[in-house]
Amino acid sequence: MKIVILDRATLGFDIDVSIFEKYGEVTSYDVTKKEKTKERIKDADIVLTNKVVIGKDEMDDSNVKLICITATGTNNVDLVYAKEKDIEVKNVAGYSTSSVVQVAFSMIFYFVQKLNYYKSYVDEGKWQKSKIFTHIDEPFYELDKKRVGVIGLGEIGRNLAKKAQAFDCEVVYFSTSGKNSNSEYKQVSLDELLKTSDIISIHAPLNENTKDLLNYENMKNMKKGAILLNLGRGGIINENDLAKLIDEKEIYCGIDVVNKEPIEESNPLLKVKNKDRLLLTPHIGWASIEARTRLVEMVAQNIEDFIF
């Protein structure tokens, strides 16, 4: 079996991928540009891709029998044509739940606890000049009794809800599909969630129901001081509207995903004036060491199930 990894760098070089060698001869590329994809997969039996697009042109005249997506989303592979060509496509799911939720809570505490401000206060030598033992000029709050609104109550959303309850938070949710009937938490409309939640966390897929789901008209109704997190997909929040609102109203935003990644220089979020209200991270939610280790093991299992 010839195995080709198209974008090894996306898995991180602290993760060992030698497990794939037991299934065949492995050729690994750190990154693969579009014009190189067809050539690199032509003679492969198995292809691993995270974000490299594999469409009709790439699959034509190839020897590919299995495409393993090293992620949950499958939009980078033409699934219809793969089926026509009798090429099996397998993804992985559920590997990153704890990682995403941990990053979400890191963002929550970043804003709630104001640790960045207090660390700077000490690092800049101000504490030793204080006339009293403490310094509490930047108010911070407890999570107890705060309302957490979850948009998208799938596996990750439920995990965040459970951990929010451990902090004695009230949890409500909005179902983006309209099909979720989870009775553990109160289901509310999107407008009610945005108007009443102290913390709002997005864990939904990007589709026709969620594209620009959050826009200027509904986000302007958020509570003053509310925290908005997006660890779902870029495009669920209209980025132009969000950038405008951050500079108009005191809301705080933790954004791990944007509409086009890597983020473009022209992205309006990079031009926000009130930068203390915005925490941008480069799509790290999925990527704890443990999550990436699980991901590689699950991809290996997909290969094993295919071969044997």
Side-chain angles (χ1 to χ4, degrees), residues 38-270:
K38 185 177 179 69
E39 172 192 334
R40 289 179 175 181
I41 73 172
K42 183 177 176 60
D43 298 320
D45 298 290
I46 299 171
V47 177
L48 275 62
T49 176
N50 189 327
K51 293 294 182 285
V52 176
V53 173
I54 301 178
K56 178 181 184 299
D57 183 57
E58 286 78 18
M59 285 184 257
D60 272 343
D61 303 317
S62 77
N63 192 48
V64 177
K65 301 175 182 67
L66 171 67
I67 298 172
C68 285
I69 303 173
T70 59
T72 303
T74 59
N75 59 307
N76 59 319
V77 175
D78 186 334
L79 300 178
V80 174
Y81 194 67
K83 188 173 183 179
E84 286 181 22
K85 294 282 287 183
D86 200 27
I87 297 172
E88 193 161 345
V89 180
K90 294 191 176 188
N91 65 338
V92 287
Y95 65 91
S96 64
T97 299
S98 293
S99 181
V100 172
V101 172
Q102 180 170 298
V103 173
F105 271 96
S106 299
M107 289 178 162
I108 291 169
F109 286 119
Y110 176 86
F111 289 121
V112 168
Q113 200 60 50
K114 312 294 186 184
L115 288 181
N116 195 46
Y117 169 85
Y118 286 110
K119 174 174 167 51
S120 297
Y121 177 81
V122 176
D123 288 349
E124 291 167 8
K126 295 177 181 177
W127 192 17
Q128 52 264 52
K129 298 174 185 175
S130 175
K131 292 181 173 61
I132 59 174
F133 79 97
T134 188
H135 174 79
I136 48 175
D137 286 9
E138 186 69 25
F140 56 90
Y141 304 90
E142 296 176 355
L143 285 183
D144 302 51
K145 310 305 179 187
K146 298 296 186 291
R147 174 175 269 207
V148 175
V150 182
I151 297 176
L153 199 70
E155 182 179 349
I156 295 174
R158 289 196 306 273
N159 191 283
L160 182 127
K162 179 180 72 173
K163 288 171 180 172
Q165 281 189 321
F167 283 101
D168 203 19
C169 294
E170 175 197 7
V171 176
V172 297
Y173 77 96
F174 170 71
S175 171
T176 58
S177 68
K179 299 176 182 177
N180 196 321
S181 56
N182 186 297
S183 59
E184 291 180 86
Y185 311 103
K186 182 182 178 182
Q187 184 171 180
V188 297
S189 68
L190 179 61
D191 284 342
E192 181 180 340
L193 186 147
L194 292 174
K195 288 176 182 177
T196 64
S197 296
D198 301 289
I199 298 165
I200 299 156
S201 197
I202 299 171
H203 302 286
L206 179 64
N207 53 40
E208 62 275 8
N209 293 326
T210 60
K211 175 69 175 170
D212 290 332
L213 180 69
L214 270 64
N215 51 60
Y216 187 84
E217 286 305 308
N218 55 30
M219 287 190 294
K220 71 180 182 182
N221 296 320
M222 289 168 56
K223 295 172 67 172
K224 179 182 177 182
I227 297 169
L228 171 64
L229 310 177
N230 188 7
L231 292 96
R233 285 291 183 265
I236 295 176
I237 301 177
N238 184 293
E239 292 168 355
N240 283 295
D241 290 355
L242 180 61
K244 180 182 178 184
L245 193 64
I246 290 172
D247 283 333
E248 290 181 357
K249 183 172 183 175
E250 187 188 345
I251 60 169
Y252 299 90
C253 303
I255 305 295
D256 187 49
V257 289
V258 293
N259 197 36
K260 187 165 183 186
E261 297 172 344
I263 196 167
E264 296 180 309
E265 293 285 351
S266 59
N267 191 299
L269 294 174
L270 295 177

Side-chain angles (χ1 to χ4, degrees), residues 270-281:
L270 295 177
K271 297 171 176 60
V272 165
K273 295 174 184 175
N274 290 308
K275 295 190 180 299
D276 61 312
R277 298 179 186 173
L278 177 63
L279 173 60
L280 278 172
T281 52

